[in-house]
Every structure is written in structure tokens, then in C-alpha cells.
Amino acid sequence: MRINWKKTIIVTLDIILGGYLVVAFSAFGKPNVIPRVCTQVNINIQDEATSGFISAAEIKSRLEKNRLYPLSKLMQDINTRLIEETLEQSPFVKRVECYKTENGHVSISLTQRMPILRIKAANGEDYYIDDNHSVMPN
């Protein structure tokens, strides 16, 4: 019986190449997951100069009260959707956008509702009516 060296070498090289590909995809296919920590929170209020109903300090205190303020937390544990939903519950907030960046920053950008009418009740409570005819308690 005669050995076909050409075929034997090709099959051996195919087995070695297949083994290398399996090892390469399993060992090097996962990205380097470095646990990043939030180092900075940027709160940008679009209409702060004209409306002035919500300040960055008030946004920070609301998030801290709900244990959602992201500073010094792991980036993977920060839920931007939950931050948006919490801030949108305020009657003075029209729209919120929250996102994370690769360098460990969290940006919160919000737009305030613009009141067009203020109602002072006899019992001392204030109400604002915005351009969508929504009533906002003070």
C-alpha cells in the first residue's frame, strides 16, 4: 500500500488550521471588558435661562433621592432609560435624553415645558398652564 503524502499533508494542515480557528474565536473573540466608573455627569437644561423652573441642582437631588445619580457608579449598572423615565415624571419636564459615553461620562439633556399662564389660588398654591394646556402644580 502506498501513502499519498500530498493528501496527508493537506488533511493535517486543515486539521491544524481548524483547531487554530476554534481557539482564536473562543479566546480572542471576547472584548476586553474593563469595569468603567462614571467620572462626570453633564446636566444640560435647554431653556434654563428663559423658563428657570428646574435647575441642575434640582435634577441632581431628584436622582439622588431615587438612588439613580450615576456619579461613581459602574457604567454597566447605570440605567439611562430609568433616569429618563424618572425625570419625565416631573410636570415641568417636556423631554429628557440621557446617554453614556465611552470615556465614563453620563449626559442628561432636558427641555422644560413653557408655561403661558400662572394661577394663584386663594389657599396659596400656584398652578401653571403650559402651551399644551397641561396644568403644572408648583
Side-chain angles (χ1 to χ4, degrees):
M1 178 168 175
R2 194 164 178 216
I3 299 176
N4 188 352
W5 290 105
K6 185 177 180 180
K7 189 174 184 180
T8 305
I9 290 173
I10 290 175
V11 168
T12 305
L13 288 176
D14 284 345
I15 291 172
I16 291 171
L17 180 64
Y20 170 75
L21 288 175
V22 168
V23 170
F25 281 119
S26 63
F28 304 116
K30 298 175 187 168
N32 253 351
V33 179
I34 300 171
R36 293 191 187 266
V37 175
C38 177
T39 57
Q40 185 177 357
V41 179
N42 301 319
I43 300 174
N44 181 18
I45 301 173
Q46 301 294 332
D47 311 329
E48 189 172 21
T50 57
S51 296
F53 289 106
I54 293 181
S55 65
E58 187 175 341
I59 296 298
K60 179 181 176 181
S61 68
R62 284 184 188 186
L63 292 176
E64 285 175 342
K65 186 176 91 175
N66 291 316
R67 294 189 177 130
L68 293 174
Y69 194 67
L71 191 63
S72 301
K73 288 186 178 180
L74 288 174
M75 291 297 279
Q76 63 192 15
D77 295 339
I78 298 171
N79 187 346
T80 56
R81 170 104 39 204
L82 189 58
I83 291 172
E84 288 175 352
E85 290 172 357
T86 302
L87 293 176
E88 283 177 344
Q89 290 175 355
S90 171
F92 295 113
V93 175
K94 187 175 192 176
R95 188 179 57 84
V96 178
E97 185 177 315
C98 181
Y99 59 92
K100 301 184 271 188
T101 63
E102 280 294 316
N103 56 358
H105 296 181
V106 173
S107 292
I108 301 170
S109 197
L110 64 94
T111 306
Q112 298 184 55
R113 292 189 191 275
M114 183 62 93
I116 58 172
L117 179 67
R118 178 179 179 181
I119 301 171
K120 291 226 21 119
N123 62 359
E125 293 183 10
D126 289 343
Y127 294 96
Y128 296 95
I129 298 178
D130 67 358
D131 53 354
N132 293 332
H133 306 292
S134 300
V135 176
M136 303 180 298
N138 189 13

